[in-house]
Amino acid sequence: YGCMDPSALNYNSNATCSDSNCFYSIYISEYGEGSGYNKYIEIYNGSGLPVDLSSYQIWKISNGGSWPEYTLSLSGILANGDVYIVCSSNSNTDSIITSAADITWYQASWTGDDAVGLAKDSVLIDVIGTDGPDIGDGWDVAGFLEGTKDHTLIRKCDVIKGNSNWSLSAGTDAQNSEWIVRSQNDWTDLGQHTDSCQGPYIYGCTDTAALNYYSPTNVNNGTCIYPFRI
């Protein structure tokens, strides 16, 4: 008996039966597909223990293909409750992002149809997107068409581990998705993983320019209605 999930800290490769007692480690907490070179990915440690990053890599596929097309090996110790940020190395990346980043990477220049993943010991444990043919402009997320393009994605606070099944992670609407979809260049939660966990989720229109804006709403569900303009 033991933990049979390779994404867990106490994974036992010799176990043949699960003891349902896995302890989970780091996962993708935020993804930014901002304008220009304002691209980043944030990794969160909610395990309760410091995590040695030397077993982890960031993987990337550009415009369709197979895992991994590009890799970035991580290093250092990530404290419990802390985040690790990888952003574009381009000099035009916004200083808000670079000042929060732990490392820059030339390949952190993704667009909506570039898959990004987190791997542990060469096993993919968390993903944004999938391998295979080029999806087009981006993958749908939480009911948002092509949500990986021109948006910031934030992991919901009730998610405690990575998910290598993008279809389940992305979901089909705001309620069953693991992600909150925010506007492009929204970096208000960058460098932490807290603001998506303040109280219960209230789904609705969060855009003040919309006719059906509702101020208590904290998760946009894609239902905003806008005035007709000629």
Side-chain angles (χ1 to χ4, degrees):
Y1 290 88
C3 175
M4 299 180 67
D5 188 339
S7 68
L9 286 173
N10 58 332
Y11 169 62
N12 183 351
S13 60
N14 295 316
T16 57
C17 292
S18 174
D19 63 1
S20 301
N21 194 31
C22 293
F23 300 99
Y24 292 98
S25 183
I26 64 178
Y27 57 89
I28 300 170
S29 53
E30 189 165 336
Y31 157 95
E33 206 286 283
S35 59
Y37 288 93
N38 298 318
K39 324 290 185 177
Y40 64 87
I41 192 166
E42 179 187 272
I43 308 299
Y44 175 66
N45 177 15
S47 68
L49 298 169
V51 171
D52 184 351
L53 295 177
S54 62
S55 299
Y56 296 86
Q57 291 180 317
I58 302 297
W59 289 3
K60 176 190 171 184
I61 299 173
S62 182
N63 302 320
S66 301
W67 298 108
E69 199 169 77
Y70 305 96
T71 64
L72 172 69
S73 296
L74 305 184
S75 62
I77 303 297
L78 183 60
N80 176 56
D82 201 1
V83 295
Y84 188 93
I85 298 168
V86 180
C87 77
S88 171
S89 58
N90 189 279
S91 60
N92 292 318
T93 305
D94 194 290
S95 60
I96 293 175
I97 298 174
T98 56
S99 62
D102 294 275
I103 190 172
T104 62
W105 185 33
Y106 176 76
Q107 289 298 334
S109 56
W110 40 74
T111 54
D113 62 341
D114 297 333
V116 185
L118 174 66
K120 179 184 180 185
D121 296 325
S122 299
V123 177
L124 201 60
I125 61 173
D126 206 6
V127 293
I128 304 286
T130 66
D131 59 353
D134 189 352
I135 192 66
D137 288 331
W139 287 272
D140 298 347
V141 185
F144 284 79
L145 185 66
E146 299 172 352
T148 56
K149 176 179 171 60
D150 299 337
H151 289 98
T152 294
L153 305 182
I154 297 180
R155 212 67 174 265
K156 290 181 178 178
C157 62
D158 55 355
V159 177
I160 61 171
K161 66 174 183 174
N163 190 343
S164 60
N165 187 323
W166 172 245
S167 178
L168 293 177
S169 176
T172 58
D173 56 39
Q175 283 86 352
N176 64 28
S177 177
E178 294 184 2
W179 300 93
I180 297 170
V181 180
R182 292 191 174 172
S183 301
Q184 188 181 41
N185 299 335
D186 182 339
W187 308 318
T188 53
D189 196 40
L190 182 64
Q192 59 184 352
H193 185 45
T194 56
D195 85 345
S196 66
C197 302
Q198 303 302 311
Y201 293 126
I202 302 173
Y203 298 91
C205 177
T206 60
D207 190 344
T208 56
L211 294 173
N212 59 332
Y213 166 68
Y214 181 54
S215 59
T217 299
N218 54 25
V219 178
N220 194 340
N221 63 358
T223 61
C224 293
I225 301 171
Y226 295 94
F228 177 76
R229 294 176 182 175
I230 299 176

